[in-house]
Amino acid sequence: MSTQVRKKIRLGDLLVEHKVISEHQLMQALAAQKTSGRKLGKVLIEEGFIDEDKMLDFLSRQLHIPFIDLKYYKYSADTVRLLPETHARRYRAISLDASGDDILVGMADPTDIFGYDEIANILKRPIRQALVREADLLKTIDTVYRRTQDINTFAEELGEELSANDFDVSQLGDNADVADAPVVKLLQSLFEDAVQVGASDIHIEPDENQLRIRQRVDGMLNETVMKEARIATALVSRLKLMASLNISERRLPQDGRFNIRVDGKSIDIRLSTMPIQHGESVVMRLLDQSHGLLNLNQLGMPDDIRERFQKIITRPHGLVLVTGPTGSGKTTTLYSALNLLNKPETKIITVEDPVEYRLPRINQVQVKPSIDLTFARVLRTALRQDPDIVLVGEMRDHETVEMGLRAAMTGHLVLSTLHTNDAISTALRLLDMGAEGYLVASALDAVLAQRLVRRICESCIEDYKLDTHEWAWAQQIIGEKTDSIQFKHGAGCPHCNNTGYHGRIGVYELLEINHDLANALRMNDAAAFNTAAERTASFRPLVMSVMDLAEKGVSTIEEAMRISGDINIDAEDFELPTPNLNVELEDISTEH
């Protein structure tokens, strides 16, 4: 048995004894602890009496155990799973290394003697303790203890049940023992797994002999294939019941929504079904309502763009458009703007399809084309409701564009979105949709275009040498500066599921309509508009914003090229400089 400190330690007394905190601060923390029931160390950190890193370093030295930063620790998922998930979460512990006679176990609270004894009893081997940061420990647990095995197990059970019994799945919602039904267990595991990995969407796609379940994580789809194709009908029927849709209608698309709670989080599910060759495809958008709305300061906008955008949206009238493809964060930006503008003296009406977040004090209307409750019709009525600000979910047709522009010219601030690739093409798109040039020139104040790019995983970030094509492309974008930049990428590790990326960050370009741009719009002159936009001193294209992140080591050259789209560059026309970027084949990650 490893010789470690096992006696009960009074953390507060130790901190006071070594003058890390004062006696008065300890008394305050103990009082707060009685109210909240949280651990003393956490209370001390939250009250600002001690920095978390300082606390960890102090405990490590006092207990004579190492501190391990899980962000950079290369663990084995199989080793972590030696400790069951329930015990790992309960005791805030994780098994990290079982290569010797004992097991290295990281604990957020190494002074927890009861937890230590329970873990030793479960693992049946001597324990070496290490200190880990609790937040990183919980993230690692979420990453490792995926619900993939549960999903496959419940899918097999459901397949066997469907084979053995011809039960009517339409009665599933009325079954008193529904909690025990494999289809419900499968869906529970599916949602839990999606929330743990931070998935934004779940796709259920039946094929002829198999079922594909895909999750969109950090903008990319991850696929799980199941051989139990028969379960697709049961899954779709159950989801339709949850969303109050017609389970007997399989020939037409349907849209609905429902709310679930997963690990204490309130998740709003937006569901869309579509008939395909082998059944119905289902896509669910997951919206975590428990986080609350972000404000503009939390979006990650560069300071200059945020300050300009904030100034624009506080004007009394005009049209402001936020653009980008589906999943680029347009809705988050607009809701953040509304969060800033939502005041008792301001009347705000939104016209959305669908209403994604419920906001207090704001009149939100969901369009329903089936009963002719369209964007244009609701907007027409909304303008008779004496609003100061109107948010139109999307400029979809000529009538909506026309009404939005006229509303912006008659004393209203109008916020809306368009699905366009960049800020410059957005204004021209309004002209293509039939809007008069003089209307666009007079009403349009600014266009904010945005994308979400993937962040390099902090746990496996390393230097990266550009290959010939990447170097040639970067030369086209930023010129000779390319040679002086040390680009980075993620090598791939358990923390990022070997993708090299973890999380996303927004990139933005903001085009304010000045006199020259307005004149070009008034004349319907696309060439003049493009030229004037490129000459605007405050305008910076999206690709330059991504290159800024690549230069800082936040994102990669791969992401910059993906965001910029297909740019035809003949790499043979360029020669790599030497010796800085002379690339050996083995030095380039196969992922790139």
Side-chain angles (χ1 to χ4, degrees):
M1 176 71 72
S2 177
T3 58
Q4 293 191 2
V5 178
R6 296 290 311 283
K7 63 181 180 180
K8 182 65 177 176
I9 295 175
R10 295 175 63 89
L11 176 62
D13 293 340
L14 269 178
L15 291 170
V16 172
E17 180 184 339
H18 289 79
K19 298 183 180 180
V20 179
I21 62 172
S22 68
E23 184 75 32
H24 178 66
Q25 288 174 328
L26 175 59
M27 291 301 104
Q28 282 185 267
L30 288 171
Q33 183 190 26
K34 288 180 181 178
T35 304
S36 64
R38 291 167 297 176
K39 288 184 177 294
L40 179 62
K42 196 171 185 67
V43 173
L44 289 167
I45 293 168
E46 290 176 352
E47 293 290 330
F49 296 149
I50 186 171
D51 178 76
E52 183 178 16
D53 288 338
K54 190 174 182 180
M55 167 82 80
L56 294 170
D57 178 64
F58 176 80
L59 281 174
S60 175
R61 286 186 284 106
Q62 289 298 314
L63 299 175
H64 306 291
I65 62 175
F67 167 72
I68 292 178
D69 192 337
L70 287 177
K71 281 185 179 179
Y72 307 105
Y73 188 85
K74 299 297 189 289
Y75 59 81
S76 162
D78 291 336
T79 302
V80 174
R81 292 193 192 100
L82 291 175
L83 185 64
E85 182 184 3
T86 53
H87 294 85
R89 291 188 184 278
R90 180 177 180 183
Y91 300 118
R92 297 294 193 262
I94 182 170
S95 54
L96 297 172
D97 184 8
S99 57
D101 295 330
D102 53 15
I103 296 182
L104 177 64
V105 174
M107 297 184 70
D109 181 11
T111 66
D112 183 355
I113 296 175
F114 180 75
Y116 179 99
D117 291 339
E118 281 290 306
I119 293 168
N121 185 52
I122 292 166
L123 296 177
K124 308 295 184 187
R125 286 167 68 179
I127 289 177
R128 280 184 296 121
Q129 279 183 300
L131 181 64
V132 296
R133 190 177 285 108
E134 183 175 359
D136 293 339
L137 181 142
L138 292 175
K139 286 181 182 177
T140 304
I141 288 174
D142 284 344
T143 301
V144 174
Y145 294 99
R146 294 285 303 273
R147 297 291 184 269
T148 307
Q149 186 58 48
D150 290 344
I151 291 170
N152 288 325
T153 300
F154 293 138
E156 290 175 4
E157 288 182 13
L158 181 57
E160 292 172 1
E161 187 169 317
L162 286 170
S163 300
N165 305 292
D166 291 324
F167 67 91
D168 183 0
V169 294
S170 66
Q171 302 300 316
L172 190 57
D174 302 322
N175 189 342
D177 298 324
V178 70
D180 296 324
V183 66
V184 177
K185 291 180 180 178
L186 173 57
L187 285 174
Q188 287 173 342
S189 296
L190 187 61
F191 286 131
E192 288 172 358
D193 186 59
V195 170
Q196 280 189 198
V197 299
S200 61
D201 301 84
I202 301 174
H203 297 235
I204 299 175
E205 302 167 348
D207 209 335
E208 183 176 6
N209 299 312
Q210 58 191 10
L211 175 68
R212 287 187 176 86
I213 295 181
R214 303 199 276 180
Q215 296 175 337
R216 190 175 295 279
V217 180
D218 292 339
M220 298 295 173
L221 286 171
N222 302 321
E223 182 176 89
T224 300
V225 178
M226 301 179 180
K227 61 183 179 181
E228 295 83 12
R230 287 173 55 99
I231 71 174
T233 302
L235 276 180
V236 174
S237 296
R238 177 61 191 170
L239 288 168
K240 284 183 175 180
L241 283 171
M242 295 170 72
S244 301
L245 300 180
N246 184 357
I247 63 171
S248 63
E249 179 56 78
R250 300 178 183 177
R251 301 166 299 169
L252 297 173
Q254 296 187 68
D255 295 304
R257 69 190 306 163
F258 57 91
N259 190 272
I260 60 173
R261 291 196 67 82
V262 179
D263 295 332
K265 297 178 180 178
S266 177
I267 309 295
D268 200 38
I269 308 291
R270 234 172 58 193
L271 180 142
S272 172
T273 71
M274 182 178 67
I276 58 175
Q277 187 176 8
H278 298 290
E280 290 179 277
S281 168
V282 176
V283 175
M284 292 178 283
R285 170 66 56 89
L286 280 63
L287 301 169
D288 189 348
Q289 303 284 348
S290 60
H291 287 320
L293 286 175
L294 297 176
N295 58 50
L296 289 176
N297 296 326
Q298 297 172 307
L299 292 181
M301 281 186 188
D303 290 341
D304 61 325
I305 291 181
R306 177 179 51 78
E307 290 169 4
R308 288 162 53 207
F309 182 67
Q310 188 167 322
K311 185 177 180 180
I312 291 166
I313 63 174
T314 51
R315 293 173 184 170
H317 55 78
L319 173 63
V320 179
L321 294 175
V322 178
T323 73
T326 301
S328 59
K330 301 187 299 295
T331 301
T332 300
T333 299
L334 282 177
Y335 275 102
S336 299
L338 287 184
N339 203 24
L340 173 70
L341 300 170
N342 187 8
K343 299 175 181 176
E345 63 271 20
T346 305
K347 171 88 172 206
I348 303 176
I349 299 177
T350 73
V351 189
E352 306 172 65
D353 182 24
V355 174
E356 295 195 8
Y357 294 94
R358 280 87 169 178
L359 302 172
R361 199 188 292 120
I362 293 179
N363 297 270
Q364 297 175 269
V365 183
Q366 180 161 326
V367 301
K368 295 181 181 177
S370 59
I371 58 172
D372 199 30
L373 192 65
T374 61
F375 276 108
R377 185 171 184 177
V378 177
L379 181 55
R380 190 182 300 112
T381 303
L383 294 177
R384 294 196 289 267
Q385 293 277 314
D386 188 30
D388 297 295
I389 300 171
V390 178
L391 183 147
V392 183
E394 184 182 349
M395 296 286 192
R396 289 185 178 175
D397 52 57
H398 169 72
E399 186 179 7
T400 306
V401 169
E402 188 89 6
M403 292 189 65
L405 289 170
R406 293 191 181 279
M409 291 180 62
T410 56
H412 304 89
L413 176 66
V414 180
L415 307 175
S416 190
T417 71
L418 266 180
H419 285 79
T420 52
N421 290 327
D422 54 46
I424 294 177
S425 64
T426 300
L428 302 177
R429 173 67 178 143
L430 293 177
L431 301 178
D432 290 341
M433 294 175 73
E436 296 291 343
Y438 75 91
L439 273 179
V440 179
S442 302
L444 184 62
D445 276 356
V447 180
L448 178 75
Q450 65 181 76
R451 294 287 194 285
L452 292 175
V453 299
R454 292 179 292 172
R455 289 177 177 269
I456 300 174
C457 174
E458 293 181 0
S459 301
C460 58
I461 187 171
E462 64 180 22
D463 291 347
Y464 178 67
K465 294 181 180 180
L466 306 187
D467 65 23
T468 306
H469 183 74
E470 290 167 340
W471 184 86
W473 181 85
Q475 278 278 350
Q476 291 282 76
I477 303 300
I478 57 176
E480 294 180 0
K481 185 180 179 182
T482 305
D483 302 341
S484 62
I485 298 174
Q486 178 57 71
F487 291 96
K488 306 282 186 179
H489 82 149
C493 68
H495 297 276
C496 60
N497 199 24
N498 292 314
T499 63
Y501 296 98
H502 186 71
R504 291 189 291 176
I505 185 173
V507 289
Y508 307 86
E509 65 178 21
L510 179 60
L511 180 64
E512 296 182 65
I513 305 302
N514 57 26
H515 182 266
D516 292 339
L517 291 169
N519 278 340
L521 289 172
R522 196 172 285 112
M523 301 297 294
N524 281 7
D525 190 337
F529 184 84
N530 282 322
T531 301
E534 291 168 359
R535 290 176 177 172
T536 303
S538 60
F539 176 71
R540 248 177 134 248
L542 276 172
V543 67
M544 296 303 296
S545 297
V546 191
M547 288 301 290
D548 288 344
L549 295 179
E551 182 178 349
K552 295 173 183 175
V554 177
S555 193
T556 63
I557 190 76
E558 177 189 39
E559 282 293 277
M561 296 177 73
R562 182 177 69 85
I563 291 299
S564 69
D566 293 329
I567 297 180
N568 294 319
I569 297 176
D570 189 353
E572 294 180 358
D573 293 338
F574 292 84
E575 183 179 351
L576 283 172
T578 55
N580 292 7
L581 297 174
N582 191 19
V583 182
E584 297 293 337
L585 185 61
E586 61 267 23
D587 290 336
I588 301 177
S589 168
T590 55
E591 294 180 8
H592 296 265

mmCIF file with all atom_site columns, all heavy atoms in Angstrom, residues 280-296:
data_model
loop_
_atom_site.group_PDB
_atom_site.id
_atom_site.type_symbol
_atom_site.label_atom_id
_atom_site.label_alt_id
_atom_site.label_comp_id
_atom_site.label_asym_id
_atom_site.label_entity_id
_atom_site.label_seq_id
_atom_site.pdbx_PDB_ins_code
_atom_site.Cartn_x
_atom_site.Cartn_y
_atom_site.Cartn_z
_atom_site.occupancy
_atom_site.B_iso_or_equiv
_atom_site.pdbx_formal_charge
_atom_site.auth_seq_id
_atom_site.auth_comp_id
_atom_site.auth_asym_id
_atom_site.auth_atom_id
_atom_site.pdbx_PDB_model_num
ATOM 1   N N   . GLU A 1 280 ? -38.877 7.481  -42.321 1.00 0.00 ? 280 GLU A N   1
ATOM 2   C CA  . GLU A 1 280 ? -38.877 8.911  -42.043 1.00 0.00 ? 280 GLU A CA  1
ATOM 3   C C   . GLU A 1 280 ? -37.561 9.318  -41.391 1.00 0.00 ? 280 GLU A C   1
ATOM 4   O O   . GLU A 1 280 ? -37.097 8.680  -40.450 1.00 0.00 ? 280 GLU A O   1
ATOM 5   C CB  . GLU A 1 280 ? -40.023 9.284  -41.098 1.00 0.00 ? 280 GLU A CB  1
ATOM 6   C CG  . GLU A 1 280 ? -41.400 9.191  -41.715 1.00 0.00 ? 280 GLU A CG  1
ATOM 7   C CD  . GLU A 1 280 ? -42.487 9.545  -40.723 1.00 0.00 ? 280 GLU A CD  1
ATOM 8   O OE1 . GLU A 1 280 ? -42.880 8.645  -39.951 1.00 0.00 ? 280 GLU A OE1 1
ATOM 9   O OE2 . GLU A 1 280 ? -42.946 10.698 -40.711 1.00 0.00 ? 280 GLU A OE2 1
ATOM 10  N N   . SER A 1 281 ? -36.986 10.380 -41.917 1.00 0.00 ? 281 SER A N   1
ATOM 11  C CA  . SER A 1 281 ? -35.790 10.959 -41.324 1.00 0.00 ? 281 SER A CA  1
ATOM 12  C C   . SER A 1 281 ? -36.218 11.964 -40.262 1.00 0.00 ? 281 SER A C   1
ATOM 13  O O   . SER A 1 281 ? -37.156 12.737 -40.457 1.00 0.00 ? 281 SER A O   1
ATOM 14  C CB  . SER A 1 281 ? -34.961 11.657 -42.401 1.00 0.00 ? 281 SER A CB  1
ATOM 15  O OG  . SER A 1 281 ? -33.946 12.458 -41.824 1.00 0.00 ? 281 SER A OG  1
ATOM 16  N N   . VAL A 1 282 ? -35.520 11.952 -39.126 1.00 0.00 ? 282 VAL A N   1
ATOM 17  C CA  . VAL A 1 282 ? -35.822 12.878 -38.034 1.00 0.00 ? 282 VAL A CA  1
ATOM 18  C C   . VAL A 1 282 ? -34.555 13.662 -37.700 1.00 0.00 ? 282 VAL A C   1
ATOM 19  O O   . VAL A 1 282 ? -33.484 13.080 -37.543 1.00 0.00 ? 282 VAL A O   1
ATOM 20  C CB  . VAL A 1 282 ? -36.316 12.139 -36.775 1.00 0.00 ? 282 VAL A CB  1
ATOM 21  C CG1 . VAL A 1 282 ? -36.517 13.124 -35.623 1.00 0.00 ? 282 VAL A CG1 1
ATOM 22  C CG2 . VAL A 1 282 ? -37.605 11.400 -37.055 1.00 0.00 ? 282 VAL A CG2 1
ATOM 23  N N   . VAL A 1 283 ? -34.704 14.968 -37.604 1.00 0.00 ? 283 VAL A N   1
ATOM 24  C CA  . VAL A 1 283 ? -33.603 15.818 -37.145 1.00 0.00 ? 283 VAL A CA  1
ATOM 25  C C   . VAL A 1 283 ? -34.094 16.603 -35.941 1.00 0.00 ? 283 VAL A C   1
ATOM 26  O O   . VAL A 1 283 ? -35.160 17.214 -35.981 1.00 0.00 ? 283 VAL A O   1
ATOM 27  C CB  . VAL A 1 283 ? -33.114 16.786 -38.240 1.00 0.00 ? 283 VAL A CB  1
ATOM 28  C CG1 . VAL A 1 283 ? -32.050 17.727 -37.679 1.00 0.00 ? 283 VAL A CG1 1
ATOM 29  C CG2 . VAL A 1 283 ? -32.562 16.016 -39.418 1.00 0.00 ? 283 VAL A CG2 1
ATOM 30  N N   . MET A 1 284 ? -33.318 16.562 -34.864 1.00 0.00 ? 284 MET A N   1
ATOM 31  C CA  . MET A 1 284 ? -33.670 17.276 -33.642 1.00 0.00 ? 284 MET A CA  1
ATOM 32  C C   . MET A 1 284 ? -32.583 18.289 -33.307 1.00 0.00 ? 284 MET A C   1
ATOM 33  O O   . MET A 1 284 ? -31.409 17.940 -33.214 1.00 0.00 ? 284 MET A O   1
ATOM 34  C CB  . MET A 1 284 ? -33.842 16.289 -32.480 1.00 0.00 ? 284 MET A CB  1
ATOM 35  C CG  . MET A 1 284 ? -35.051 15.379 -32.621 1.00 0.00 ? 284 MET A CG  1
ATOM 36  S SD  . MET A 1 284 ? -35.190 14.177 -31.268 1.00 0.00 ? 284 MET A SD  1
ATOM 37  C CE  . MET A 1 284 ? -33.940 12.986 -31.769 1.00 0.00 ? 284 MET A CE  1
ATOM 38  N N   . ARG A 1 285 ? -32.982 19.536 -33.148 1.00 0.00 ? 285 ARG A N   1
ATOM 39  C CA  . ARG A 1 285 ? -32.078 20.596 -32.702 1.00 0.00 ? 285 ARG A CA  1
ATOM 40  C C   . ARG A 1 285 ? -32.210 20.728 -31.195 1.00 0.00 ? 285 ARG A C   1
ATOM 41  O O   . ARG A 1 285 ? -33.315 20.869 -30.671 1.00 0.00 ? 285 ARG A O   1
ATOM 42  C CB  . ARG A 1 285 ? -32.442 21.907 -33.399 1.00 0.00 ? 285 ARG A CB  1
ATOM 43  C CG  . ARG A 1 285 ? -31.761 23.165 -32.872 1.00 0.00 ? 285 ARG A CG  1
ATOM 44  C CD  . ARG A 1 285 ? -30.278 23.182 -33.107 1.00 0.00 ? 285 ARG A CD  1
ATOM 45  N NE  . ARG A 1 285 ? -29.885 23.016 -34.480 1.00 0.00 ? 285 ARG A NE  1
ATOM 46  C CZ  . ARG A 1 285 ? -29.737 24.043 -35.339 1.00 0.00 ? 285 ARG A CZ  1
ATOM 47  N NH1 . ARG A 1 285 ? -29.973 25.274 -34.937 1.00 0.00 ? 285 ARG A NH1 1
ATOM 48  N NH2 . ARG A 1 285 ? -29.352 23.810 -36.575 1.00 0.00 ? 285 ARG A NH2 1
ATOM 49  N N   . LEU A 1 286 ? -31.069 20.651 -30.474 1.00 0.00 ? 286 LEU A N   1
ATOM 50  C CA  . LEU A 1 286 ? -31.062 20.722 -29.020 1.00 0.00 ? 286 LEU A CA  1
ATOM 51  C C   . LEU A 1 286 ? -30.688 22.128 -28.571 1.00 0.00 ? 286 LEU A C   1
ATOM 52  O O   . LEU A 1 286 ? -29.624 22.639 -28.939 1.00 0.00 ? 286 LEU A O   1
ATOM 53  C CB  . LEU A 1 286 ? -30.058 19.722 -28.430 1.00 0.00 ? 286 LEU A CB  1
ATOM 54  C CG  . LEU A 1 286 ? -30.488 18.247 -28.323 1.00 0.00 ? 286 LEU A CG  1
ATOM 55  C CD1 . LEU A 1 286 ? -30.759 17.632 -29.682 1.00 0.00 ? 286 LEU A CD1 1
ATOM 56  C CD2 . LEU A 1 286 ? -29.420 17.443 -27.591 1.00 0.00 ? 286 LEU A CD2 1
ATOM 57  N N   . LEU A 1 287 ? -31.557 22.750 -27.802 1.00 0.00 ? 287 LEU A N   1
ATOM 58  C CA  . LEU A 1 287 ? -31.313 24.093 -27.290 1.00 0.00 ? 287 LEU A CA  1
ATOM 59  C C   . LEU A 1 287 ? -31.279 24.033 -25.768 1.00 0.00 ? 287 LEU A C   1
ATOM 60  O O   . LEU A 1 287 ? -32.291 23.714 -25.142 1.00 0.00 ? 287 LEU A O   1
ATOM 61  C CB  . LEU A 1 287 ? -32.413 25.058 -27.755 1.00 0.00 ? 287 LEU A CB  1
ATOM 62  C CG  . LEU A 1 287 ? -32.584 25.191 -29.278 1.00 0.00 ? 287 LEU A CG  1
ATOM 63  C CD1 . LEU A 1 287 ? -33.853 25.956 -29.604 1.00 0.00 ? 287 LEU A CD1 1
ATOM 64  C CD2 . LEU A 1 287 ? -31.383 25.892 -29.875 1.00 0.00 ? 287 LEU A CD2 1
ATOM 65  N N   . ASP A 1 288 ? -30.134 24.313 -25.191 1.00 0.00 ? 288 ASP A N   1
ATOM 66  C CA  . ASP A 1 288 ? -29.971 24.260 -23.737 1.00 0.00 ? 288 ASP A CA  1
ATOM 67  C C   . ASP A 1 288 ? -30.505 25.553 -23.133 1.00 0.00 ? 288 ASP A C   1
ATOM 68  O O   . ASP A 1 288 ? -29.883 26.606 -23.236 1.00 0.00 ? 288 ASP A O   1
ATOM 69  C CB  . ASP A 1 288 ? -28.501 24.065 -23.384 1.00 0.00 ? 288 ASP A CB  1
ATOM 70  C CG  . ASP A 1 288 ? -28.291 23.788 -21.898 1.00 0.00 ? 288 ASP A CG  1
ATOM 71  O OD1 . ASP A 1 288 ? -29.246 23.963 -21.122 1.00 0.00 ? 288 ASP A OD1 1
ATOM 72  O OD2 . ASP A 1 288 ? -27.170 23.397 -21.519 1.00 0.00 ? 288 ASP A OD2 1
ATOM 73  N N   . GLN A 1 289 ? -31.695 25.460 -22.509 1.00 0.00 ? 289 GLN A N   1
ATOM 74  C CA  . GLN A 1 289 ? -32.329 26.641 -21.934 1.00 0.00 ? 289 GLN A CA  1
ATOM 75  C C   . GLN A 1 289 ? -31.751 26.991 -20.560 1.00 0.00 ? 289 GLN A C   1
ATOM 76  O O   . GLN A 1 289 ? -32.011 28.065 -20.031 1.00 0.00 ? 289 GLN A O   1
ATOM 77  C CB  . GLN A 1 289 ? -33.846 26.405 -21.782 1.00 0.00 ? 289 GLN A CB  1
ATOM 78  C CG  . GLN A 1 289 ? -34.555 26.041 -23.079 1.00 0.00 ? 289 GLN A CG  1
ATOM 79  C CD  . GLN A 1 289 ? -34.761 27.234 -23.999 1.00 0.00 ? 289 GLN A CD  1
ATOM 80  O OE1 . GLN A 1 289 ? -34.582 28.364 -23.576 1.00 0.00 ? 289 GLN A OE1 1
ATOM 81  N NE2 . GLN A 1 289 ? -35.143 26.992 -25.231 1.00 0.00 ? 289 GLN A NE2 1
ATOM 82  N N   . SER A 1 290 ? -30.979 26.075 -19.972 1.00 0.00 ? 290 SER A N   1
ATOM 83  C CA  . SER A 1 290 ? -30.504 26.290 -18.595 1.00 0.00 ? 290 SER A CA  1
ATOM 84  C C   . SER A 1 290 ? -29.382 27.322 -18.526 1.00 0.00 ? 290 SER A C   1
ATOM 85  O O   . SER A 1 290 ? -29.114 27.884 -17.465 1.00 0.00 ? 290 SER A O   1
ATOM 86  C CB  . SER A 1 290 ? -30.029 24.966 -17.981 1.00 0.00 ? 290 SER A CB  1
ATOM 87  O OG  . SER A 1 290 ? -28.962 24.421 -18.734 1.00 0.00 ? 290 SER A OG  1
ATOM 88  N N   . HIS A 1 291 ? -28.687 27.569 -19.659 1.00 0.00 ? 291 HIS A N   1
ATOM 89  C CA  . HIS A 1 291 ? -27.573 28.512 -19.634 1.00 0.00 ? 291 HIS A CA  1
ATOM 90  C C   . HIS A 1 291 ? -28.038 29.967 -19.621 1.00 0.00 ? 291 HIS A C   1
ATOM 91  O O   . HIS A 1 291 ? -27.296 30.858 -19.237 1.00 0.00 ? 291 HIS A O   1
ATOM 92  C CB  . HIS A 1 291 ? -26.662 28.296 -20.850 1.00 0.00 ? 291 HIS A CB  1
ATOM 93  C CG  . HIS A 1 291 ? -25.850 27.048 -20.754 1.00 0.00 ? 291 HIS A CG  1
ATOM 94  N ND1 . HIS A 1 291 ? -25.260 26.627 -19.589 1.00 0.00 ? 291 HIS A ND1 1
ATOM 95  C CD2 . HIS A 1 291 ? -25.535 26.118 -21.689 1.00 0.00 ? 291 HIS A CD2 1
ATOM 96  C CE1 . HIS A 1 291 ? -24.600 25.496 -19.805 1.00 0.00 ? 291 HIS A CE1 1
ATOM 97  N NE2 . HIS A 1 291 ? -24.764 25.162 -21.076 1.00 0.00 ? 291 HIS A NE2 1
ATOM 98  N N   . GLY A 1 292 ? -29.271 30.204 -20.080 1.00 0.00 ? 292 GLY A N   1
ATOM 99  C CA  . GLY A 1 292 ? -29.726 31.581 -20.193 1.00 0.00 ? 292 GLY A CA  1
ATOM 100 C C   . GLY A 1 292 ? -29.136 32.230 -21.436 1.00 0.00 ? 292 GLY A C   1
ATOM 101 O O   . GLY A 1 292 ? -28.313 31.647 -22.156 1.00 0.00 ? 292 GLY A O   1
ATOM 102 N N   . LEU A 1 293 ? -29.555 33.449 -21.702 1.00 0.00 ? 293 LEU A N   1
ATOM 103 C CA  . LEU A 1 293 ? -29.100 34.148 -22.896 1.00 0.00 ? 293 LEU A CA  1
ATOM 104 C C   . LEU A 1 293 ? -27.713 34.745 -22.694 1.00 0.00 ? 293 LEU A C   1
ATOM 105 O O   . LEU A 1 293 ? -27.372 35.214 -21.606 1.00 0.00 ? 293 LEU A O   1
ATOM 106 C CB  . LEU A 1 293 ? -30.079 35.271 -23.259 1.00 0.00 ? 293 LEU A CB  1
ATOM 107 C CG  . LEU A 1 293 ? -31.412 34.837 -23.862 1.00 0.00 ? 293 LEU A CG  1
ATOM 108 C CD1 . LEU A 1 293 ? -32.296 36.058 -24.054 1.00 0.00 ? 293 LEU A CD1 1
ATOM 109 C CD2 . LEU A 1 293 ? -31.203 34.129 -25.175 1.00 0.00 ? 293 LEU A CD2 1
ATOM 110 N N   . LEU A 1 294 ? -26.935 34.734 -23.758 1.00 0.00 ? 294 LEU A N   1
ATOM 111 C CA  . LEU A 1 294 ? -25.641 35.395 -23.728 1.00 0.00 ? 294 LEU A CA  1
ATOM 112 C C   . LEU A 1 294 ? -25.837 36.891 -23.961 1.00 0.00 ? 294 LEU A C   1
ATOM 113 O O   . LEU A 1 294 ? -26.853 37.317 -24.509 1.00 0.00 ? 294 LEU A O   1
ATOM 114 C CB  . LEU A 1 294 ? -24.736 34.826 -24.826 1.00 0.00 ? 294 LEU A CB  1
ATOM 115 C CG  . LEU A 1 294 ? -24.366 33.353 -24.737 1.00 0.00 ? 294 LEU A CG  1
ATOM 116 C CD1 . LEU A 1 294 ? -23.558 32.947 -25.963 1.00 0.00 ? 294 LEU A CD1 1
ATOM 117 C CD2 . LEU A 1 294 ? -23.571 33.060 -23.478 1.00 0.00 ? 294 LEU A CD2 1
ATOM 118 N N   . ASN A 1 295 ? -24.869 37.686 -23.533 1.00 0.00 ? 295 ASN A N   1
ATOM 119 C CA  . ASN A 1 295 ? -24.874 39.081 -23.948 1.00 0.00 ? 295 ASN A CA  1
ATOM 120 C C   . ASN A 1 295 ? -23.775 39.276 -24.983 1.00 0.00 ? 295 ASN A C   1
ATOM 121 O O   . ASN A 1 295 ? -22.966 38.383 -25.228 1.00 0.00 ? 295 ASN A O   1
ATOM 122 C CB  . ASN A 1 295 ? -24.706 40.021 -22.753 1.00 0.00 ? 295 ASN A CB  1
ATOM 123 C CG  . ASN A 1 295 ? -23.422 39.768 -21.978 1.00 0.00 ? 295 ASN A CG  1
ATOM 124 O OD1 . ASN A 1 295 ? -22.345 39.687 -22.568 1.00 0.00 ? 295 ASN A OD1 1
ATOM 125 N ND2 . ASN A 1 295 ? -23.525 39.621 -20.665 1.00 0.00 ? 295 ASN A ND2 1
ATOM 126 N N   . LEU A 1 296 ? -23.746 40.435 -25.595 1.00 0.00 ? 296 LEU A N   1
ATOM 127 C CA  . LEU A 1 296 ? -22.806 40.651 -26.688 1.00 0.00 ? 296 LEU A CA  1
ATOM 128 C C   . LEU A 1 296 ? -21.358 40.487 -26.254 1.00 0.00 ? 296 LEU A C   1
ATOM 129 O O   . LEU A 1 296 ? -20.505 40.089 -27.043 1.00 0.00 ? 296 LEU A O   1
ATOM 130 C CB  . LEU A 1 296 ? -23.021 42.052 -27.278 1.00 0.00 ? 296 LEU A CB  1
ATOM 131 C CG  . LEU A 1 296 ? -24.315 42.245 -28.080 1.00 0.00 ? 296 LEU A CG  1
ATOM 132 C CD1 . LEU A 1 296 ? -24.457 43.696 -28.530 1.00 0.00 ? 296 LEU A CD1 1
ATOM 133 C CD2 . LEU A 1 296 ? -24.349 41.327 -29.295 1.00 0.00 ? 296 LEU A CD2 1
#
